[in-house]
């Protein structure tokens, strides 16, 4: 995995390629690196289930735009029950970061979520089945360096198929 940054007028480099910028800048800025570190810490919370860091990582006005849990409460307190529910359904839940694209005010992470379905999940009883699902997560970062808004796209059809809920 390699983090890549985008300048305001830059072109994105992926994999081993380099980002090209009109200014000649070819490396990540301090703001880009903060975004990458923030995202890594965010997924550590999901991977470990230790929720306290969310109070530092998320804005008190954090908005979760995730379609599967519409209109959760704002701030860290709105995300904590979602993480608990996911880790109850998948006690071995793990997010592996494949790619991060970061700018000073946004970070995008392509991740692979894995786990074993051992508890209720959105009304579906435990199946004992393993899951492996791709996601794209977009985080807006505020001026204090906290995640202010979150958007996620999950391959939910694959997830439902793996749980035996879709053909």
């Amino acid at each position: 995995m390699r983090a890549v940054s985008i300048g305001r007028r830059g072109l994105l480099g992926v994999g081993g390629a380099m980002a090209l910028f009109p200014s000649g800048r070819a490396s990540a800025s301090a703001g880009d690196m903060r975004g990458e570190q923030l995202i890594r810490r965010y997924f550590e919370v999901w991977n470990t289930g230790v929720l306290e860091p969310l109070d530092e990582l998320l804005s008190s006005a954090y908005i979760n735009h995730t379609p599967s849990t519409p209109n959760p409460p704002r701030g860290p307190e709105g995300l904590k029950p979602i993480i608990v529910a996911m880790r109850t359904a998948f006690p071995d839940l793990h997010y592996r970061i494949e790619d991060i694209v970061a700018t000073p005010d946004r970070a995008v992470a392509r991740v692979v979520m894995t786990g074993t379905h051992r508890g209720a999940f959105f009304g579906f009883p435990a199946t004992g089945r393993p899951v492996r699902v791709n996601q794209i997560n977009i985080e807006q970062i505020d001026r204090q360096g906290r995640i202010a808004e979150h958007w996620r796209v999950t391959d939910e059809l694959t997830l439902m198929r793996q749980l035996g809920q879709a053909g």
Side-chain angles (χ1 to χ4, degrees), residues 35-159:
E36 178 187 352
Q37 292 167 353
L38 180 64
I39 295 311
R40 290 186 183 285
R41 291 183 61 212
Y42 172 79
F43 280 107
E44 281 178 28
V45 171
W46 284 89
N47 288 341
T48 65
V50 177
L51 304 176
E52 292 75 20
L54 290 178
D55 296 325
E56 177 186 332
L57 299 173
L58 304 182
S59 161
S60 61
Y62 167 83
I63 301 170
N64 185 346
H65 297 284
T66 300
S68 58
T69 52
N71 303 315
R74 290 183 177 222
E77 296 310 313
L79 184 58
K80 289 176 182 180
I82 295 169
I83 294 173
V84 169
M86 285 295 294
R87 293 199 55 81
T88 298
F90 303 95
D92 58 345
L93 181 69
H94 183 78
Y95 289 86
R96 185 180 74 236
I97 299 171
E98 297 290 330
D99 295 295
I100 295 175
V101 179
T103 68
D105 65 348
R106 294 221 192 258
V108 178
R110 181 174 67 89
V111 301
V112 176
M113 181 194 91
T114 58
T116 308
H117 185 210
R118 301 220 183 271
F121 177 66
F122 291 106
F124 300 117
T127 63
R129 294 179 177 190
V131 297
R132 176 184 162 83
V133 183
N134 292 301
Q135 288 186 345
I136 301 290
N137 294 268
I138 303 170
E139 314 300 336
Q140 180 180 336
I141 303 168
D142 67 15
R143 291 180 184 194
Q144 290 73 41
R146 294 181 178 201
I147 298 173
E149 293 190 61
H150 165 82
W151 295 264
R152 173 184 52 80
V153 178
T154 299
D155 183 354
E156 292 179 359
L157 178 57
T158 295
L159 175 61

